[in-house]
Amino acid sequence: MALVTIVSQKKQIKRKAPRGFLKRVFKLQKPQLRLEKSGDLLVHLNCLLFVHRLAEESRTNACESKCRVINKEHVLAAAKIILKKSRG
Amino acid sequence: MADHNPDGDPTPRTLLRRVLDTADPRTPRRPRSARSGAQRALLERASSRRLSGQTKTIAKGRSRGARSIGRSTHVQARGHLEEQTPRTLLKNILLTAPESSILMPESVVKPVPAPQVVQPSRRESSRGSLELQLPELEPSTTLAPGLLAPGRRKQKLRLSMFQQGVDQGLPLSREPQGNADASSLTSSLNLTFATPLQPQSVQRPGLARRPPARRAVDVGAFLRDLRDTSLAPPNIVLEDTQPFSQPTVGSPVYHSLPCTPHTGAEDAEQAAGRRTQSSGPGLQNNSPGKPAQFLAGEAEEVNAFALGFLSTSSAVSREDEVEPLPDGVEEAEKKMEEEGVSVSEMEATGAQGPSRAEEPKGHTQVTEAEGSQGTAEAEGPGASSGDEDASSKAASPESASSTPESLQARQHHQFPEPAPPPGAAVLSSEPAEPLLVRHPPRPRTTGPRPRQDPHKAGLSHYVKLFSFFAKMPMERKALEMVEKCLDKYFQHLCDDLEVFAAHAGRKTVKPEDLELLMRRQGLVTDQVSLHVLVERHLPLEYRQLLIPCAYSGNSVFPAQ
């Protein structure tokens, strides 16, 4: 589309952790491994922090390029950095 | 006015034409007779009614023109000095300039002092002052100020002119102290305006006060409405011919309409679809009432509709019908008609109709159908079959009226098409409506359900979190990018956890592994411990599960 679709912001977010989703993903990825019961909560915490950092970085990129909207490029550049940081 | 208005209700424009054509050499200023005054008043009211009734006529000057025409026609016809807007006076002067010597100086002087007269008179309250100053003013004169809401200056000018006439003709007008300048100026003008005020006007001072406010509103609203709405008189007729549109739409639906502008730019597709649905029926609901409203001169609602349309259109960027709305005056009209049409269509569809009107699913179906039809439209209005065209055209009116409804599907499809066809299509669509309605809505194409959807559904949670943390508007492609990043992240995460667990000789991933991971990521430092992060970011329920806490009975949960 020539027009840019901008997704509106959500004012309220759910704080629940998609425990089933996380367990399924882990199972699909590493069927041989088992995840402890509280482990997925920490995984969820990890995801939260990752997303948080990614968002901050993207926001910084967008502000630096003086855009009012976060673009794909901003996210891409941010992801490169943050993924590298999250490699562990 | 019979002589000048042989037909029942000539448009003010025709009246003006006649007036200009006739170019009555007689001086327009003659003593006003009670009869003429009354007739003028009647004519003015009739003209105002006509004005309100005829939405398609010329916009701005029309009301004034009509009034002036009315007055001028009256004047010309009867040679009576009507209340005359200053415009009419000027017109008369110009028209009859060479005739009367009295006029000559006026014609020369009048334009000059007119503005000057206006200024001082403007200081005073427009109508009230007029009325106060000229209590004996004919009802037409008082009405004229009311009618001339925008033409306040003219009213003042007229007043000044009146003053002259009054001074000359009637003994009553001593008021113009406020218009001292005006009077001084106008005294020089000394036109045959010196027609004495009609006794009728004197008889009806009370009437003078009544209309002004209402007239002003009507005029302004009417002008606005004229500008906004299309100009096809037949449209009104079409609207009228669809009485059954009314029962379908309930008044409560109308309430949704005000909501639509506020919803603004939410998630475009679904929210817009829902909103537009509600607004569509609401609009449709109003469409039947529109003709009556027009006639009544209540164009505010139409403007509201236009605004609602505009707002909804702005909210949903892709509305093809709505986009031309700001450009095309016709759009609103067509949409109203189409609303009526679509409403009738909706009714015809029966179960589909209410479902369309109310259910997002039905709406999507409709949008799909309309979208398919719209694509046909996009390909070519005269494409394939006439039925298809009719259906597409009918769809376009549907979409046009229910633009709110069919926004989503239409977004991608019909941009230019619906605008031109709807006008013509409305007529053709009506007979084609039943055919259209019978078109089965295209079944929704469901994407690959299997694995990806739940995976994406789970990811969407984090994507929403991303948009929440970002605090900035984002593009959809950026969100897709975020999804990919999350996928990669999960892969990395699992690999790392596997390595850590293997390093610890375990096959189960334990929280210690997670903590180690976070430490390596730099999230957990010596200053910031895992518990701190848990407290910060996780809700209480999870914190209770994660952080061991001592409870009564010397028990710790979770057990360490």
Side-chain angles (χ1 to χ4, degrees):
Chain A
M1 289 291 300
L3 298 176
V4 169
T5 51
I6 296 183
V7 182
S8 70
Q9 295 255 289
K10 288 218 102 150
K11 303 300 173 234
Q12 290 250 337
I13 53 164
K14 295 182 293 200
R15 300 265 178 197
K16 276 189 70 172
R19 300 186 75 172
F21 166 73
L22 292 172
K23 196 123 178 24
R24 193 189 320 131
V25 164
F26 188 78
K27 265 302 182 191
L28 288 174
Q29 281 270 326
K30 306 281 171 195
Q32 66 278 13
L33 291 180
R34 300 205 304 221
L35 189 57
E36 231 189 305
K37 41 180 171 180
S38 304
D40 58 349
L41 292 177
L42 289 171
V43 169
H44 174 69
L45 175 65
N46 210 358
C47 292
L48 276 183
L49 293 169
F50 168 77
V51 163
H52 192 75
R53 282 197 291 185
L54 193 63
E56 287 294 327
E57 187 68 23
S58 307
R59 189 153 175 262
T60 307
N61 286 355
C63 291
E64 276 175 6
S65 67
K66 300 230 189 323
C67 291
R68 301 182 130 257
V69 179
I70 293 183
N71 265 340
K72 210 175 157 182
E73 298 83 29
H74 306 146
V75 173
L76 203 55
K80 278 195 187 154
I81 299 173
I82 303 295
L83 276 174
K84 195 159 194 324
K85 268 198 201 169
S86 305
R87 239 174 349 115
Chain B
M1 292 312 299
D3 50 7
H4 268 267
N5 307 332
D7 36 340
D9 271 351
T11 69
R13 171 147 293 214
T14 61
L15 290 175
L16 178 57
R17 288 266 171 266
R18 283 198 218 103
V19 168
L20 292 176
D21 293 345
T22 57
D24 198 337
R26 294 175 302 171
T27 70
R29 304 159 218 21
R30 291 196 205 155
R32 305 186 198 93
S33 67
R35 170 176 63 91
S36 64
Q39 285 167 349
R40 274 188 314 237
L42 291 175
L43 180 68
E44 283 179 6
R45 295 199 195 95
S47 345
S48 63
R49 288 289 163 268
R50 268 197 303 275
L51 289 173
S52 58
Q54 296 174 5
T55 59
K56 318 308 180 180
T57 51
I58 307 97
K60 297 193 185 143
R62 191 154 32 119
S63 58
R64 277 191 236 122
R67 274 178 254 120
S68 62
I69 291 166
R71 294 196 198 89
S72 59
T73 53
H74 285 289
V75 171
Q76 303 253 338
R78 314 184 184 266
H80 299 294
L81 255 189
E82 314 294 357
E83 50 301 351
Q84 293 82 359
T85 67
R87 170 176 290 221
T88 59
L89 292 174
L90 282 167
K91 243 191 212 98
N92 296 331
I93 290 169
L94 292 173
L95 287 174
T96 66
E99 309 307 326
S100 63
S101 59
I102 300 176
L103 294 178
M104 295 285 276
E106 274 183 24
S107 57
V108 177
V109 183
K110 194 174 191 171
V112 174
Q116 302 165 14
V117 169
V118 170
Q119 300 312 323
S121 59
R122 187 187 293 241
R123 281 184 234 114
E124 304 173 358
S125 67
S126 60
R127 305 194 185 99
S129 63
L130 286 177
E131 295 174 353
L132 288 171
Q133 292 167 5
L134 301 175
E136 297 83 357
L137 279 182
E138 311 153 354
S140 57
T141 58
T142 53
L143 291 176
L147 291 172
L148 277 181
R152 199 170 290 188
R153 288 186 315 159
K154 301 187 180 169
Q155 296 170 10
K156 309 285 183 179
L157 174 61
R158 186 164 49 77
L159 174 59
S160 64
M161 289 308 164
F162 243 96
Q163 295 296 340
Q164 305 162 14
V166 171
D167 294 340
Q168 293 161 13
L170 285 183
L172 42 91
S173 62
R174 282 310 98 182
E175 285 81 356
Q177 306 89 358
N179 295 344
D181 325 338
S183 53
S184 61
L185 290 166
T186 54
S187 59
S188 63
L189 296 181
N190 240 8
L191 308 169
T192 48
F193 283 175
T195 65
L197 290 173
Q198 303 167 6
Q200 188 165 15
S201 61
V202 182
Q203 294 164 8
R204 296 195 264 177
L207 290 179
R209 289 185 189 273
R210 257 200 286 118
R214 193 158 44 86
R215 293 288 173 95
V217 173
D218 283 351
V219 168
F222 177 62
L223 294 178
R224 262 181 283 117
D225 185 30
L226 291 176
R227 260 179 271 120
D228 295 341
T229 63
S230 66
L231 313 183
N235 293 339
I236 298 179
V237 175
L238 283 177
E239 289 181 26
D240 294 339
T241 54
Q242 298 170 8
F244 39 76
S245 61
Q246 293 169 6
T248 51
V249 203
S251 50
V253 183
Y254 174 51
H255 298 319
S256 62
L257 176 61
C259 312
T260 61
H262 306 315
T263 49
E266 291 188 68
D267 294 332
E269 309 200 73
Q270 289 152 6
R274 281 193 299 272
R275 273 181 290 119
T276 55
Q277 280 180 359
S278 55
S279 62
L283 291 166
Q284 296 165 3
N285 184 20
N286 294 313
S287 63
K290 269 184 200 156
Q293 292 169 3
F294 278 152
L295 298 174
E298 300 170 10
E300 287 86 353
E301 296 190 11
V302 177
N303 295 336
F305 284 144
L307 291 175
F309 262 127
L310 289 169
S311 59
T312 53
S313 63
S314 60
V316 186
S317 56
R318 248 69 80 65
E319 297 183 46
D320 43 338
E321 258 80 19
V322 184
E323 280 177 359
L325 182 66
D327 316 332
V329 174
E330 313 168 339
E331 286 301 337
E333 288 265 339
K334 285 172 192 167
K335 280 168 190 160
M336 291 184 268
E337 306 160 2
E338 290 154 353
E339 286 175 2
V341 170
S342 63
V343 172
S344 59
E345 291 176 355
M346 306 294 273
E347 296 175 342
T349 52
Q352 294 179 358
S355 68
R356 279 190 209 165
E358 295 142 16
E359 300 301 332
K361 261 189 7 177
H363 166 74
T364 52
Q365 291 177 2
V366 170
T367 57
E368 299 261 340
E370 291 174 346
S372 61
Q373 294 162 353
T375 47
E377 284 181 6
E379 291 153 6
S384 54
S385 62
D387 185 18
E388 196 173 347
D389 271 352
S391 62
S392 65
K393 285 179 184 172
S396 62
E398 292 176 7
S399 59
S401 62
S402 59
T403 34
E405 299 183 12
S406 55
L407 282 177
Q408 313 166 10
R410 307 215 151 238
Q411 290 175 3
H412 306 272
H413 300 310
Q414 327 108 355
F415 279 104
E417 304 302 327
V426 172
L427 303 174
S428 60
S429 63
E430 292 178 19
E433 284 174 25
L435 304 174
L436 267 190
V437 174
R438 304 305 170 237
H439 254 272
R442 193 174 55 168
R444 289 198 63 181
T445 59
T446 60
R449 281 273 165 173
R451 302 174 24 256
Q452 199 59 9
D453 267 5
H455 187 75
K456 285 223 163 169
L459 280 184
S460 69
H461 182 253
Y462 291 109
V463 173
K464 285 180 202 159
L465 279 172
F466 179 89
S467 73
F468 176 77
F469 287 140
K471 294 185 181 52
M472 274 173 65
M474 307 191 44
E475 291 180 7
R476 199 150 296 173
K477 297 202 179 148
L479 294 181
E480 294 168 11
M481 199 64 217
V482 170
E483 277 181 14
K484 289 196 202 125
C485 293
L486 278 173
D487 273 335
K488 275 206 195 129
Y489 163 77
F490 277 124
Q491 287 174 12
H492 290 316
L493 180 82
C494 293
D495 293 338
D496 292 341
L497 289 178
E498 185 184 15
V499 166
F500 294 156
H503 178 79
R506 288 183 264 107
K507 289 208 179 155
T508 309
V509 175
K510 290 212 155 152
E512 298 88 47
D513 301 330
L514 265 293
E515 178 160 5
L516 180 59
L517 173 67
M518 295 176 72
R519 187 171 279 275
R520 285 184 66 102
Q521 286 180 347
L523 294 168
V524 173
T525 64
D526 295 334
Q527 279 72 36
V528 179
S529 79
L530 179 63
H531 288 189
V532 170
L533 292 177
V534 167
E535 286 176 13
R536 264 193 221 152
H537 297 278
L538 290 186
L540 179 66
E541 298 79 18
Y542 299 156
R543 185 218 151 130
Q544 280 174 350
L545 293 177
L546 285 172
I547 298 178
C549 185
Y551 292 90
S552 71
N554 203 24
S555 66
V556 176
F557 179 81
Q560 285 179 323

